[in-house]
Amino acid sequence: MDAIRVSALREVLTGTGWLESTREFAWALRSSVSRAPDGPGTAGGLLLVGTEGEEPWHMAAHLDDEAAWSGLPQLSPTLVRWRVPPGAPAHLAVDLRRLERAGRGETVLVVAPEAAGAPLLERVHDARRTGATVLALDTGDTELQGLAHEALTVPPTGLREEAAPAFDVVQHLVTAAAGEEPPRGRRRVLDRMARLAERLTAPPPMRW
């Protein structure tokens, strides 16, 4: 989705609260990856995972674009897949076992247009327990929301409020906002919160 269509969408959604919600979520994502020292596919990167039935291909592509446009390489995700076909290139051959190695300094973004399911929830729980930041874009999965440090919930189509955009539209808005620089005051607040979170989650000093 190009900048013109994103701008048109934002105009339509002005006053609904969705622009603010998507920006808050996007800035939380940007803040978490901005603290990462390395690029995609390494410790400190962004791991993007969907549900068993829905791989977030479009969001991965748009995040990759935003990473290039914004000069923030950490925003380029590693797509974590449920099933890797034989002969897949290295960047498309990362399976769920990668979540088992996620830890401090990494961000796990779960995109769940349907229920996450126990196998994914267990791996996300383990990633959070070992220090990864967990963000969730979902349609009402309370178990997933309970594991996430930050969650954005889009009501499913059949239950959606009249002003709520479709799930794929929200993905576009989030990725577009992630590439934008937060307002100066908002950025200072995010930075302070990030430093506080790091202090609170850091292990106690070792005693010799």
Side-chain angles (χ1 to χ4, degrees):
M1 184 175 291
D2 58 37
I4 294 175
R5 281 181 285 180
V6 169
S7 179
L9 271 173
R10 286 174 171 171
E11 185 175 344
V12 170
L13 293 171
T14 297
T16 66
W18 277 100
L19 295 184
E20 293 78 7
S21 296
T22 53
R23 281 181 173 138
E24 288 290 318
F25 186 78
W27 290 339
L29 171 61
R30 182 184 175 113
S31 177
S32 70
V33 300
S34 293
R35 302 193 301 276
D38 302 310
T42 63
L46 171 61
L47 305 176
L48 177 64
V49 62
T51 60
E52 186 171 9
E54 294 283 346
E55 287 190 325
W57 287 98
H58 285 96
M59 192 160 192
H62 287 297
L63 281 170
D64 205 42
D65 288 341
E66 290 296 337
W69 293 335
S70 64
L72 191 67
Q74 294 91 340
L75 201 59
S76 181
T78 295
L79 181 63
V80 178
R81 308 182 65 185
W82 285 75
R83 288 172 292 275
V84 177
H91 70 289
L92 296 178
V94 180
D95 62 25
L96 289 175
R97 290 174 295 181
R98 179 63 180 84
L99 297 182
E100 298 170 7
R101 305 194 304 275
R104 191 174 306 280
E106 294 185 301
T107 298
V108 177
L109 172 57
V110 184
V111 178
E114 58 188 9
L120 180 57
L121 290 171
E122 290 171 5
R123 288 174 170 85
V124 172
H125 175 270
D126 290 343
R128 172 166 177 153
R129 184 174 50 82
T130 53
T133 299
V134 176
L135 290 91
L137 179 59
D138 68 276
T139 55
D141 188 331
T142 55
E143 290 185 276
L144 177 58
Q145 293 165 19
L147 293 175
H149 294 90
E150 189 82 24
L152 178 60
T153 299
V154 184
T157 304
L159 303 175
R160 196 169 68 232
E161 297 175 9
E162 185 176 349
F167 192 81
D168 61 339
V169 170
V170 172
Q171 292 181 66
H172 286 297
L173 292 173
V174 168
T175 54
E180 299 171 351
E181 189 75 17
R184 175 176 263 181
R186 173 62 180 162
R187 184 178 179 85
R188 286 199 299 266
V189 170
L190 285 172
D191 288 344
R192 287 199 299 270
M193 290 176 64
R195 288 194 295 270
L196 176 60
E198 287 173 354
R199 289 198 299 270
L200 291 175
T201 58
M206 295 181 65
R207 296 182 182 275
W208 300 95

